[in-house]
Each structure stands twice: as C-alpha cells, then as structure tokens.
Amino acid sequence: MTTAVLSGKGLASRIQQQARDEARILRSEGLRPTLAVVVATDDEATHWYVRSIERAAGRAGIECRVVDLGPNAGEAALANILEDLSAEPAVHGIILQTPLPAAVRADRLVGLIAPEKDVDGANPLSLGRLAVGQPAFAPATARAVVELLDHFEVPVAGRKVAVVGRSAVVGKPLSLLLLDKDATVTICHSKSGPLERHTRYADVVVVAAGRTGLLKGSDISEETVVIDVGTNVLPDGSLVGDVDEASVTGVAAGLSPVPGGVGSVTTALLLLHTAEAARQHSPAALLTASTSGI
C-alpha cells in the first residue's frame, strides 16, 4: 500500500501569504505587527524552533523580538518580562516558549499573558473561551492539525479520532477543535493501556506525546491517517517525530512528515495570529470600537 505524504509546506505557504498580506496592509496604516518570543532554556529543539519563527516572521514582514533569559532564569524575572510585554502597545503577540526551568511554575506565568496577545492560546482563559465557543486564539499546533486535515480533505465528522497525548498545548485544545468538527474523539495517555487498543480502529490518529517511535505500524489499520506532531532531536542533531516512520509507511493511508508537516503550519499560524492581533490595534479597528459605543 502507498502511504500519502501529507506535507504541510503548501498549506504553510498559503497561510504565510495571508499573514504577509495582512502585515503589509497594517504597515501601510503605520502599524508594524510584532511578536515577542520569551525563551528560558538551553534545549536545542526549542532554539531550532525559535529560529524558524524568526526566519518566517522576517519573510512575512512581521517583527520578531526574541527575549532569551537563559536556562537559569527565575520565575520573578519571567513574570516581569511577560507583564511588561503584555502592557507594551508595540507588542501584539506573545509566546512563552517551553521547556522552562524546573523551579518555574508555568501555569502561573502563562496566566500573565494578556489574552488579546496570547497568539499561542497558552493562557487558561484562552482555553476556557475555546471550550465554550467564545473568540480566542487556539494553540497554533492544535489548529495546525485541523488545518492540515482540512487541506487534504480528510473527513473527521462522524469519524473516530485518537489523540495520543493530553497536554494543554496540543492534546486538550485539539480535542475541543475536533469536537467542534463533529469528530468522535478518544484521548490516549500513559494510563490508557496498550496504545493499539485505541488507535487500531481510529480513522485518524494524532500523535503528540514527545516520545520517539511511539506509534508503530502494528498500532494502526490500512485506513488510518496519521498526523505526527512530535519534535524530537536525535544525538546527531536531526529532527524526528513520535511516529516510527519506517513501520508506519506502507500501512497508513496518509502520514504527515517530520520535519515538513505540522511544524511548518504551526509557525505560519503564529504569524497569522499575530497579524490578526495587531489588526485589533489598527486605526480602523480603534475607530470602529470608539464609534460603536456612541
């Protein structure tokens, strides 16, 4: 059986063009969309990802401000930075990149990101709004999975979707987005028992657990579409996902590659979210807001 390659490059290019077009219009109105990325780690996978955001932002005409506090940053320093960025009018989007130093309480810090600047849906307020259908930025990776499925016309309404991983960054928000599209969602985690018991009969499997080679060909059927969200750096510096690509290829109906799959779409969506957030600060938006209160 031939496994279709679900590359994210074409979709990412289209979304980047949307962000580029919006950024150009905003600049013509005197507003430069600006994304701030706060980093406090020496994790190479994280720095690889941040560099990719910087490059993509430059191509889209969006300013990317990386605030690197180093792997020994304390919680107070991170909190101060997030509060300052949330209050700074020139910054429209904020990302607190993980992982963070061990002693830092990430749940407290993400709550300091202003919801209107929370372009990666990290603030619990954003997740809550997403759960009840109110306007909010969804975590970009979770939205990227849905956009990729839509792009390749993979149906999810009425279908069984297994999401492997229950993080607040991917698994939980993704399940909400899929439920909104009428999928029947199963979330698998470390206490779910043998993985194949849940993934073998799923129409779509999304793997976002951060474990190299977790999903194997024996865990799925020939009709399964697999979306690999994992980003794991091997000792030689290469990037791989959570799927055992060698055993899944030839079994799955479709598979997103790593790199070149969900990651590229995620980066593009972060830029689009930043442009959308900046739009709320444009002269036209502010004028509409002021006149609507008359």
Side-chain angles (χ1 to χ4, degrees), residues 20-261:
R20 188 179 300 115
D21 291 344
E22 181 66 10
R24 184 175 62 250
I25 294 170
L26 288 167
R27 290 197 307 275
S28 72
E29 298 174 1
L31 186 66
R32 183 175 179 82
T34 299
L35 172 66
V37 184
V38 180
V39 184
T41 182
D42 56 4
D43 178 67
E44 182 51 38
T46 297
H47 287 282
W48 180 91
Y49 179 55
V50 171
R51 288 192 295 270
S52 73
I53 294 176
E54 287 185 282
R55 290 192 296 269
R59 292 192 296 268
I62 292 174
E63 182 176 340
C64 183
R65 185 189 306 179
V66 177
V67 183
D68 190 347
L69 300 182
N72 298 315
E75 186 173 313
L78 283 160
N80 288 337
I81 285 293
L82 293 173
E83 289 175 333
D84 289 347
L85 293 171
S86 290
E88 185 177 339
V91 172
H92 307 106
I94 302 171
I95 302 172
L96 176 61
Q97 193 61 49
T98 56
L100 294 168
V104 169
R105 293 171 294 174
D107 56 344
R108 172 177 177 261
L109 291 175
V110 294
L112 299 175
I113 301 174
E116 66 272 16
K117 299 184 180 185
D118 186 23
V119 293
D120 203 17
N123 190 318
L125 286 174
S126 300
L127 186 58
R129 290 175 178 175
L130 194 67
V132 297
Q134 293 183 2
F137 290 113
T141 302
R143 182 181 171 189
V145 172
V146 174
E147 295 285 349
L148 195 64
L149 291 170
D150 285 347
H151 180 70
F152 285 101
E153 299 181 343
V154 178
V156 296
R159 302 294 185 95
K160 297 178 181 178
V161 181
V163 177
V164 183
R166 54 179 170 180
S167 73
V169 178
V170 184
K172 290 177 181 177
L174 175 58
S175 68
L176 295 172
L177 295 175
L178 290 168
L179 284 171
D180 280 345
K181 295 180 74 66
D182 299 318
T184 300
V185 183
T186 299
I187 300 180
C188 306
H189 47 80
S190 59
K191 305 299 182 184
S192 296
L195 191 58
E196 65 174 359
R197 189 171 66 188
H198 307 283
T199 57
R200 182 77 177 171
Y201 305 101
D203 299 291
V204 177
V205 176
V206 182
V207 194
R211 288 180 54 191
T212 304
L214 177 62
L215 187 81
K216 298 177 172 53
S218 57
D219 296 323
I220 60 173
S221 74
E222 293 182 353
E223 298 178 352
T224 306
V225 171
V226 178
I227 305 296
D228 193 349
V229 184
T231 51
N232 308 291
V233 179
L234 297 180
D236 64 2
S238 60
L239 192 69
V240 297
D242 289 352
V243 173
D244 181 359
E245 189 173 328
S247 67
V248 167
T249 299
V251 178
L255 172 63
S256 67
V258 177

